[in-house]
Amino acid sequence: MAPQVRHPVFARFYARVAGPGLERAGITRYRKRLVAGLSGRVIEIGAGNGLNFPHYPAEVRRVLAVEPEPRLRALAAEAARAVPAEVEVVDGRAEQLPVPDASFDAAVVCLTLCSVADPAAALTEIHRVLRPGGRMRFFEHVQADTPGMRRVQRAVDATFWPLLCGGCHTGRDTQSAITAAGFTLTEAERFAFPETRLPLPAATHILGTAERPREAEH
């Protein structure tokens, strides 16, 4: 059995401080773009306290929201009851999703792949649970563009950042990991968020779509 994921201090901080702070900084527009146009059955991995739930379009029949941290999962269950979409919140880890193969039309990862213990395994699992032709939508902070900031990211990731931020790593090359897991990248936009004059190790973000290729015809 996989060990439980517990970050109670970070969970309280995220729910009370960081999450609202990101909303004030304008993250809602990216959350809306992340899920726009989705339909059918969707799995959201690392759902946190459910801040994406209000933005799912009516064409989405059902959302299975997977969240391993108990406090955040409880808050997500509360949030699920207050939105129009049919959302079920369950315990589970990205590296071992509790669902059958090819059972979802789309997957959503939002500020998640930075903190999972094994990003490659998580992406392999997402690939497994998507049907051929299914889409993964992602919004993640990633490895910086400049060598200087990459050095900063390596330094903070090796010291205090993961301890204070629930296992988060600022410098992962998530875009390369997505293609290495067998996805076809169809759209990816890089930008700084939040927009600030101060250089921040977690400012570089990507927002985009990757597809599980359809099975080859014989």
Side-chain angles (χ1 to χ4, degrees):
M1 181 179 294
Q4 288 189 321
V5 176
R6 291 186 180 275
H7 299 293
V9 175
F10 173 74
R12 286 194 292 270
F13 173 77
Y14 187 83
R16 297 176 183 177
V17 180
L22 291 173
E23 299 299 313
R24 290 192 296 272
I27 198 173
T28 299
R29 67 183 183 272
Y30 298 119
R31 294 187 186 279
K32 290 179 178 179
R33 289 176 58 190
L34 178 69
V35 300
L38 294 181
S39 60
R41 291 170 51 86
V42 177
I43 182 168
E44 181 174 343
I45 296 96
N49 54 337
L51 296 178
N52 290 324
F53 296 169
H55 308 302
Y56 278 101
E59 291 78 11
V60 172
R61 294 200 309 272
R62 179 172 178 264
V63 178
L64 183 69
V66 181
E67 173 53 50
E69 210 293 319
R71 181 178 292 273
L72 291 176
R73 187 169 64 250
L75 293 172
E78 291 181 15
R81 292 192 286 268
V83 298
E86 180 186 342
V87 181
E88 179 186 0
V89 179
V90 299
D91 185 12
R93 297 171 63 92
E95 300 92 338
Q96 193 173 3
L97 297 172
V99 295
D101 295 356
S103 53
F104 288 89
D105 301 296
V108 171
V109 285
C110 180
L111 306 179
T112 297
L113 294 172
C114 60
S115 60
V116 297
D118 188 339
L123 287 163
T124 297
E125 273 291 271
I126 296 169
H127 190 280
R128 177 184 69 80
V129 304
L130 282 175
R131 62 169 175 78
R135 295 177 291 171
M136 178 179 69
R137 293 283 184 82
F138 54 87
F139 173 49
E140 299 283 339
H141 67 79
V142 295
Q143 186 180 74
D145 296 319
T146 64
M149 183 52 72
R150 289 184 184 183
R151 286 194 293 270
V152 172
Q153 289 178 324
R154 287 194 293 270
V156 301
D157 287 352
T159 53
F160 66 91
W161 196 280
L163 294 175
L164 295 180
C165 299
C168 172
H169 294 74
T170 64
R172 287 180 171 172
D173 186 1
T174 298
Q175 184 167 320
S176 295
I178 289 171
T179 56
F183 287 96
T184 300
L185 195 68
T186 60
E187 182 181 4
E189 177 183 351
R190 294 177 71 91
F191 51 89
F193 175 81
E195 296 178 6
T196 175
R197 294 181 181 179
L198 295 175
L200 301 173
T204 305
H205 285 68
I206 56 172
L207 174 69
T209 305
E211 183 176 298
R212 174 181 172 176
R214 298 181 184 276
E215 303 295 343
E217 295 184 1
H218 297 284

